[in-house]
Amino acid sequence: MKSIVKLVLVCVACVALPGVVQANDWLLKNQNDPKQWVMPTGNYSAHRYSRLNQINRGNVGRLKMAWNFSTGVLRGHEGGPLVIGSTLYIHTPIPNKVFALDLDNDARIIWEYNPVKGGVYPSGDTMDRVISVMCCDNVNRGVAYAEGQGAGDGTIFLHAADTTLIALDAKTGREKWKVTNMDPGTGNRGVSASTGTGVPFVVKDKVGIGCSGAEFGVRCNWTMYNMKDGSRAWRAYSMGPDDDMLVDPRRTTHMLKPIGRDSSLDSWKGDQWETGGGSIWGWYAWDPKADLIYYGTGNPSTWNPVVRPGDNRWSMTIMARNPDTGVAKWFYQMTPFDEWDYDGVNEMILADIKVKGKKRRALVHFDRNGFAYTMDRITGELLVAEKYDPVVNWATHVDMKTGRPQVVDRYSTAHQGEDVNTTGICPAALGTKDQQPAAYSPKSNIFYVPTNHVCMDYEPFRVDYVAGNAYVGATLSMYPAPGGTNLGNFIAWDAGEGKILWSIPEPFSVWSGALATAGDVVFYGTLEGYAKAIDAKSGKNLYTFKTASGIIGNFHTWMHEGKQYVSVLSGVGGWAGIGLAAGLTEDTAGLGAVGAYKALHNYTKLGGVLNVWSL
Amino acid sequence: MLKKWMYTLVLTVLGASLAYAADNRPPGVPAQYDDDDNPTYYYALGDSGNVLYYEGEGENRKPVYGWMDFATYRGWRTYHAECHVCHGPDAAGSTFAPALKDSLDYLDWEKFSDLIVNGKTEAQGAQVGNAMPAFGNNPNVMRDLENLYRYVRMRHEGKLRRGPRPPKLAKVEEVDE
């Protein structure tokens, strides 16, 4: 009897105080230990910044390759390693292997895990089937780690390509539990052909994942699982009835106003929301004080806007939700009625910065659509929306009262219509930036952003939805932005004013995640395979090294036995590898035309390697 | 075993027609087949306007203007909607799927269409970590199966440049939209 009373009391406490962060939160504590790299984004604010300064502006030129590790897998290697204590965890593209390497023992392999057995994923789908519904190469962006709060003395979470979330004992690599989130197989409307590429995200006692598949008419969602047993805690769809989206029509806001009843249903024709897309596969953040998690949703499907009139809510939206209940506090839709495939999934960086002279708890987001947004992350107020590549032309500006981009008819693929080729749209569908995450240095107060500098022609046309098959409905051709031949830039951004500080042109799109450090050095990689270190203030190049393959992974740093290491995965591929392998345009050099011909396959070949440097 | 393609149809038609002026697009033609009954493409030349392909090398490289038939154009469009995410733009290849414009060195119409209908898995000899999906139950692809071949063949035979949307002749009734 007594124990029952106790039990009830304990439970009342957890219901009454769902937002309270437990003092023993391992990740909250350890994200501040610069010797480790405990989550893919570096910390919960997604800064990708390290306080280590052993490697610095003065000595980075003397960097040496310390060791490297072949993953044994070809195809595009996105994401990067975690370093927990003296163990380094690294993942691969399909088949989504995970390796635990012992840093005390010359990176010997402690354990290795492969979710694919006999060619079949845990969901029961064959690896071949899964590969055939990956939109843009076999990529995976990495694993997450947790300890305590249901995760025992250490759990590694893997979001496999077949959408199965797998909990592994961090010490042994043994499976603790696994649960299939969606369905890569055929048959079910709005679910079929979904895949997993994004990292799992641990908050308190739960671990969340999104889903990919907007090119296949999947209606995507964010789902949180309880770490202790893999049971589902909550699921919030990107579109559909209010209950499916976990919104409170009177309290959830958009541009500071309540969204009202049926905000999504009213913005789609008929039942199109059932195959509405809105995938979630970027990088996420958590503000423990406000107790809100942040992520962005992707494109509405199909790519043919003419057949889906309306704002297609809440695709292309930044979402702020309570991590315990999932209920949304605020939304901001960046690209209502998408006509160009400008997914809103890129990273959400939380920074306490001065915005137009006033101190703000800000959220900074570099969107595919070419605008960089600074929001008040507590209220969802829009503070700054400026182009971070001057060639962006599909909208003149964002109306700060309504939050709507002012679309230029000439570049509106819906206005131009079906079976009409709309030309000269900047940016291309790749976006001014894709998922490759930017870094923020609280020391320099600068955002370092890897970008694409590519434009496109886009022609929408009619297609039929068939469950499990691609549902695209547009053709596009891409080419370098006018006025130059460089396909990328690495830029420094002032998010308080919305201004580019400086910009380094790169021959190809910069598709690697940046890292900023207290040593006043910023790192990024290029598609030809160069690892580069630059001065955090001026952008001056301080170090260049050509790795085994093109870099689409993200830079990380950690310290082991008193020595600072910097690492990045090389292994070309991803969407960049598809678009740029053979170059973008005809070789017209013989005609005296601008030499825009740049075939990536003349520079680099496939192969995954983890590269590790030290002084 | 290489199959010899028949270009005669295209060539004779071209030989018979003088180059059209850029603003004087000739009439459309129905979807074409070669003498072996394999799907093929058709084009008409213009004296200026849209570049269809390039001729010659280096200094001597020069543009050739004209229009492709509507069926082949549909192949271009369907390719760039359904295939380019793996095979790269312009059938030119990517980091993981072959350049189809070169695959016709060893694939004839039968093998080409069979691969699209049935796909190819690792078990059937695809490279490790690779898979070509089966499109047999995808109407968006099946209705353009022949046209996909027409387009890739035109690229293979160097009669269509890379880059943005190619110029096309008007559609005729045989080609349903």
Side-chain angles (χ1 to χ4, degrees):
Chain A
M1 191 70 200
K2 213 170 146 198
S3 62
I4 291 175
V5 173
K6 226 185 199 163
L7 208 84
V8 169
L9 279 178
V10 169
C11 264
V12 165
C14 24
V15 171
L17 304 164
V20 170
V21 174
Q22 297 177 23
N24 66 354
D25 192 306
W26 192 92
L27 282 171
L28 264 184
K29 210 163 83 208
N30 284 272
Q31 65 170 348
N32 297 319
D33 173 10
K35 294 204 202 67
Q36 310 187 76
W37 192 272
V38 297
M39 61 183 85
T41 49
N43 64 8
Y44 274 122
S45 300
H47 285 174
R48 305 194 54 74
Y49 172 79
S50 169
R51 295 204 321 276
L52 297 179
N53 61 4
Q54 190 180 77
I55 297 170
N56 56 49
R57 181 193 283 150
N59 62 20
V60 67
R62 299 200 301 274
L63 222 49
K64 298 246 161 14
M65 178 71 66
W67 52 274
N68 53 34
F69 174 79
S70 167
T71 65
V73 177
L74 302 175
R75 315 285 289 258
H77 282 62
E78 288 185 348
L82 298 181
V83 176
I84 312 290
S86 57
T87 308
L88 182 148
Y89 298 93
I90 188 70
H91 66 287
T92 77
I94 288 175
N96 309 127
K97 289 185 188 175
V98 183
F99 299 97
L101 306 183
D102 185 357
L103 298 178
D104 288 336
N105 224 326
D106 244 354
R108 216 190 61 200
I109 299 165
I110 302 169
W111 55 259
E112 170 180 348
Y113 173 79
N114 184 350
V116 176
K117 302 197 164 65
V120 179
Y121 266 107
S123 61
D125 291 288
T126 63
M127 188 168 86
D128 288 329
R129 164 66 191 165
V130 174
I131 290 171
S132 72
V133 290
M134 297 288 287
C135 106
C136 320
D137 202 356
N138 291 357
V139 296
N140 184 285
R141 299 191 184 87
V143 293
Y145 178 83
E147 202 173 306
Q149 291 173 302
D153 358 317
T155 302
I156 287 286
F157 294 100
L158 168 69
H159 182 193
D162 72 335
T163 79
T164 302
L165 177 63
I166 304 162
L168 301 172
D169 184 313
K171 301 259 166 354
T172 62
R174 242 176 261 134
E175 281 175 13
K176 291 183 166 181
W177 52 258
K178 56 191 169 193
V179 51
T180 298
N181 190 44
M182 299 288 280
D183 168 24
T186 44
N188 298 325
R189 181 175 172 81
V191 183
S192 245
S194 182
T195 49
T197 60
V199 287
F201 186 57
V202 173
V203 178
K204 295 187 254 188
D205 59 350
K206 298 184 183 64
V207 53
I209 51 174
C211 77
S212 303
E215 277 60 52
F216 295 81
V218 174
R219 180 170 67 124
C220 274
N221 57 64
W222 177 263
T223 308
M224 280 290 217
Y225 293 92
N226 295 306
M227 290 203 292
K228 66 173 187 306
D229 56 6
S231 58
R232 194 198 285 182
W234 54 266
R235 165 170 286 183
Y237 282 91
S238 301
M239 59 258 320
D242 291 347
D243 288 347
D244 283 12
M245 298 192 299
L246 303 186
V247 294
D248 177 340
R250 284 163 310 159
R251 286 205 196 84
T252 304
T253 61
H254 180 249
M255 293 300 288
L256 307 176
K257 290 194 201 77
I259 58 172
R261 228 166 248 294
D262 296 334
S263 61
S264 173
L265 295 181
D266 288 350
S267 68
W268 292 85
K269 193 172 124 189
D271 61 3
Q272 284 179 345
W273 57 269
E274 290 178 7
T275 54
S279 46
I280 302 159
W281 47 271
W283 307 95
Y284 323 114
W286 175 40
D287 179 338
K289 246 204 233 141
D291 205 21
L292 290 172
I293 58 168
Y294 303 91
Y295 64 83
T297 64
N299 63 288
S301 57
T302 82
W303 284 15
N304 175 1
V306 178
V307 296
R308 50 168 171 75
D311 278 354
N312 309 140
R313 290 174 171 171
W314 295 98
S315 64
M316 308 305 216
T317 297
I318 299 176
M319 300 194 163
R321 293 183 183 274
N322 177 297
D324 299 308
T325 63
V327 172
K329 176 149 192 230
W330 59 263
F331 289 163
Y332 171 61
Q333 191 179 38
M334 296 167 286
T335 315
F337 184 51
D338 171 61
E339 311 171 46
W340 314 269
D341 187 35
Y342 295 150
D343 286 46
V345 302
N346 293 352
E347 71 281 6
M348 306 292 164
I349 305 178
L350 313 185
D352 297 336
I353 54 171
K354 267 205 178 129
V355 181
K356 302 193 164 142
K358 209 173 138 205
K359 191 101 184 157
R360 290 283 194 162
R361 288 167 77 183
L363 175 154
V364 176
H365 170 79
F366 299 91
D367 199 53
R368 278 250 287 270
N369 74 12
F371 286 89
Y373 298 87
T374 306
M375 320 272 311
D376 181 313
R377 69 175 181 265
I378 313 300
T379 63
E381 183 187 352
L382 177 62
L383 305 173
V384 176
E386 294 292 341
K387 296 174 183 180
Y388 61 104
D389 183 349
V391 300
V392 172
N393 65 8
W394 66 278
T396 53
H397 64 285
V398 174
D399 182 306
M400 298 304 282
K401 280 226 180 65
T402 62
R404 291 187 83 89
Q406 301 302 296
V407 177
V408 177
D409 281 351
R410 211 184 119 190
Y411 303 115
S412 159
T413 67
H415 184 264
Q416 301 292 329
E418 261 173 8
D419 301 322
V420 176
N421 192 29
T422 303
T423 60
I425 306 164
C426 305
L430 298 165
T432 301
K433 187 172 106 36
D434 197 74
Q435 57 75 32
Q436 61 274 35
Y440 165 66
S441 162
K443 191 175 173 197
S444 68
N445 209 19
I446 295 174
F447 291 78
Y448 301 94
V449 195
T451 72
N452 310 314
H453 190 58
V454 181
C455 300
M456 69 173 171
D457 298 351
Y458 189 109
E459 178 172 339
F461 62 91
R462 215 160 275 249
V463 282
D464 299 326
Y465 173 76
V466 181
N469 286 304
Y471 186 47
V472 180
T475 61
L476 38 123
S477 31
M478 308 199 227
Y479 37 82
T485 58
N486 64 307
L487 302 174
N489 293 301
F490 188 79
I491 70 164
W493 179 257
D494 175 344
E497 296 297 325
K499 283 206 180 75
I500 296 174
L501 300 170
W502 41 260
S503 174
I504 305 167
E506 284 288 347
F508 292 99
S509 295
V510 188
W511 211 275
S512 110
L515 168 73
T517 70
D520 302 312
V521 185
V522 172
F523 295 89
Y524 70 95
T526 74
L527 283 176
E528 312 100 293
Y530 293 112
K532 295 191 174 183
I534 59 170
D535 185 306
K537 276 239 171 61
S538 66
K540 186 177 157 234
N541 184 283
L542 303 171
Y543 176 76
T544 301
F545 180 89
K546 177 129 183 185
T547 62
S549 178
I551 300 176
I552 59 171
N554 308 331
F555 267 93
H556 299 76
T557 187
W558 75 88
M559 188 169 252
H560 184 247
E561 289 176 354
K563 207 169 203 182
Q564 183 184 355
Y565 294 87
V566 174
S567 70
V568 76
L569 273 174
S570 56
V572 77
W575 195 356
I578 293 156
L580 305 177
L584 288 176
T585 49
E586 193 80 39
D587 184 3
T588 50
L591 296 169
V594 184
Y597 178 72
K598 293 206 190 79
L600 197 52
H601 66 42
N602 294 340
Y603 292 80
T604 192
K605 294 292 161 191
L606 299 179
V609 172
L610 179 69
N611 305 272
V612 182
W613 291 266
S614 63
L615 287 172
Chain B
M1 195 185 62
L2 270 182
K3 184 149 195 156
K4 279 270 168 287
W5 300 113
M6 307 292 285
Y7 311 126
T8 37
L9 179 83
V10 174
L11 290 179
T12 36
V13 173
L14 284 173
S17 64
L18 290 171
Y20 290 85
D23 55 355
N24 186 16
R25 190 173 67 152
V29 296
Q32 303 283 304
Y33 297 87
D34 64 18
D35 289 352
D36 293 340
D37 241 11
N38 296 313
T40 192
Y41 58 93
Y42 169 90
Y43 61 92
L45 295 182
D47 59 7
S48 59
N50 281 307
V51 177
L52 202 56
Y53 60 92
Y54 293 91
E55 237 173 24
E57 290 299 326
E59 298 275 286
N60 297 323
R61 202 162 150 81
K62 64 174 201 304
V64 176
Y65 303 98
W67 303 266
M68 70 206 286
D69 63 303
F70 194 82
T72 307
Y73 169 77
R74 276 194 57 129
W76 172 84
R77 192 171 77 172
T78 300
Y79 175 88
H80 284 91
E82 302 282 350
C83 321
H84 107 280
V85 293
C86 291
H87 289 280
D90 309 308
S94 78
T95 46
F96 70 89
L100 295 184
K101 75 169 175 56
D102 301 329
S103 298
L104 293 202
D105 285 349
Y106 49 86
L107 292 180
D108 59 15
W109 157 240
E110 236 165 83
K111 283 199 206 115
F112 179 91
S113 51
D114 179 63
L115 268 158
I116 298 168
V117 173
N118 298 311
K120 185 175 175 189
T121 63
E122 208 175 295
Q124 293 162 317
Q127 263 183 53
V128 177
N130 270 8
M132 161 68 191
F135 286 97
N137 64 354
N138 184 336
N140 295 314
V141 172
M142 283 306 107
R143 75 168 75 104
D144 279 314
L145 191 56
E146 289 191 353
N147 296 338
L148 281 163
Y149 183 71
R150 291 188 170 97
Y151 162 67
V152 173
R153 184 171 177 180
M154 192 167 183
R155 286 279 301 139
H156 176 63
E157 291 167 9
K159 296 301 183 213
L160 183 62
R161 57 152 170 77
R162 297 198 52 181
R165 186 192 213 233
K168 63 175 189 291
L169 298 174
K171 69 179 162 201
V172 289
E173 264 155 54
E174 282 86 339
V175 187
D176 57 337
E177 179 57 359

